[in-house]
Amino acid sequence: MRPLSKPAPASLPPGIGDAWLPAQRLESALIDTVGSYCAFCEMSIASGGAPQSKRTGPLQKTPRDLDGWDDLLPVCCYCYAQRENSTPVSTARYLWPDVDATFTLTATSPFVYALTTVSVVVTSGEAAAARGTNDVVLVKANPSSPDFARAQATLALYQLNTPGYDAASNTLTLSDSPQFQDQRLDLRTQAWARAQAFLDLLKEAAPYGDAVTTALMRQATMAAQAQGFWSVWMTAFWARYPDVNTIESLFVLTRTRQDYIITGYQSLEKTPSEPLARGLPGRPQPPPPGGAWTIFTGTAADRLAYPTP
Ligand SMILES: [Zn+2]
């Protein structure tokens, strides 16, 4: 779960807890700040997402129920649905991507991602009673993390492996009925497969020199940006390239904006006349001295950790 840096944009009215902002403006501001990805499952929400409250889930339509900017995160339709009818929660019991170090490449990362063989049972529809196994990429809370309990709570709150997965029996229960299916597990597994395909290509390209390798790596970054599932790409590439500079140049930071699609507030020169402008060509500003753009807008690079060599 990508750790997010979510400072309140300067152009948002102060004290949004006191005044109801149209959801569309909130969503634009959130996406400009942390990127067009679900804060929990990390899928791309370029085709649609919604702001949700960490405390209450769906936003209530009265100003007094809105806790403010720090309480909001953008979510996909599947993560949204997990809390659609839930009661407010005590946020201290959960791990949150905008304040906690939710993912690192060390052995104590709170969340870990791994290709796992699960039992599959189909309960209804044409293929009812079919059984088998399937390889899917599960996200799990890591018992070696000091934040294990809170990670486990967040995993359960949003059912990040879909409601059909039962961890105790390692079984995925599916319906073959013609209804909307929760796509998160499939899409996460597809991202893993695509990352592996890039790693295979990089291996094949090795004899052709650095220029080919560099070009392929830029394409891998763009594929990850388009698809989302940042933690999956980080995990897969770290297994082959356990090198901080390589990983940061692929998925975290860039010191120039050349060749990367840089989005959000970091690429726009904000003026009072264009509050919350989004999708405008803008005039990109160079990173601050010694600084860098984040390739995935809003990644909290300062909360990432790498194994000490
Ligand atoms: Zn989601």
Side-chain angles (χ1 to χ4, degrees), residues 124 175-183:
S124 60
S175 158
D176 191 30
S177 305
Q179 61 188 25
F180 280 116
Q181 302 281 345
D182 189 327
Q183 297 285 312

Side-chain angles (χ1 to χ4, degrees), residues 38 40-43 75-76 79 184:
C38 176
F40 298 100
C41 74
E42 306 180 312
M43 69 182 271
V75 298
C76 71
C79 289
R184 292 176 294 176

Side-chain angles (χ1 to χ4, degrees), residues 18-36:
D18 301 326
W20 175 251
L21 270 183
Q24 211 176 354
R25 280 187 69 195
L26 267 184
E27 190 186 341
S28 295
L30 278 171
I31 283 171
D32 274 340
T33 308
V34 297
S36 188

Side-chain angles (χ1 to χ4, degrees), residues 16-87:
I16 60 166
D18 301 326
W20 175 251
L21 270 183
Q24 211 176 354
R25 280 187 69 195
L26 267 184
E27 190 186 341
S28 295
L30 278 171
I31 283 171
D32 274 340
T33 308
V34 297
S36 188
Y37 306 96
C38 176
F40 298 100
C41 74
E42 306 180 312
M43 69 182 271
S44 168
I45 52 171
S47 58
Q52 206 179 55
S53 157
K54 293 190 279 186
R55 188 176 66 82
T56 66
L59 301 186
Q60 310 301 312
K61 300 241 165 155
T62 56
R64 68 176 179 281
D65 291 329
L66 189 58
D67 291 344
W69 178 257
D70 291 347
D71 183 50
L72 298 170
L73 285 169
V75 298
C76 71
C77 59
Y78 306 113
C79 289
Y80 190 97
Q82 302 314 313
R83 297 193 63 189
E84 199 139 27
N85 301 308
S86 77
T87 50

